[in-house]
Amino acid sequence: MIRVTVSYPAKENARFDHSYYQKQHAELIHQQLDGHGLLKLEVDQCLADGAGKSPAFVASAHLFFTDLAQFQAAFAAGGKALNQDMANYTDIVPVITISQVVA
């Protein structure tokens, strides 16, 4: 199984609408990717770093797929709509990490 993590770095004066992201954008992720192998979606609103200070990221989404090829096919099918929706909740360029889930 792989996990695709989409994280939004904290930046001064950046815009991020958590309510929209957690409701409308998460629903759009399901609409676009469930039929293409999305196994699970987790959405985080980051609160603090390990020392209790401001976090490095304001939010993250974790998308789980069977393998990398399945994710790539799913994103080829639904990624355009997801990318276009970003303007509705943020002006932050996300950082994407793809990981093999090992435990």
Side-chain angles (χ1 to χ4, degrees):
M1 178 185 312
I2 65 154
R3 177 181 54 234
V4 179
T5 301
V6 182
S7 298
Y8 296 86
K11 295 185 179 186
E12 192 171 332
N13 298 319
R15 178 182 62 83
F16 197 93
D17 183 338
H18 287 281
S19 179
Y20 185 94
Y21 186 65
Q22 293 166 12
K23 294 175 184 150
Q24 285 90 346
H25 191 71
E27 179 60 30
L28 183 61
I29 291 170
H30 282 294
Q31 289 172 4
Q32 295 297 315
L33 304 181
D34 280 0
H36 299 283
L38 178 67
L39 300 172
K40 181 169 115 174
L41 171 66
E42 297 176 349
V43 176
D44 299 341
Q45 181 173 341
C46 303
L47 302 176
D49 69 6
K53 297 184 180 185
S54 294
F57 298 96
V58 296
S60 296
H62 310 282
L63 298 86
F64 294 82
F65 291 89
T66 301
D67 57 37
L68 182 59
Q70 190 177 49
F71 160 69
Q72 290 170 327
F75 203 75
K80 183 176 180 180
L82 297 174
N83 286 335
Q84 289 175 335
D85 191 49
M86 281 180 50
N88 291 317
Y89 63 89
T90 192
D91 55 7
I92 300 171
V93 176
V95 175
I96 299 172
T97 305
I98 300 173
S99 306
Q100 180 72 43
V101 177
V102 296

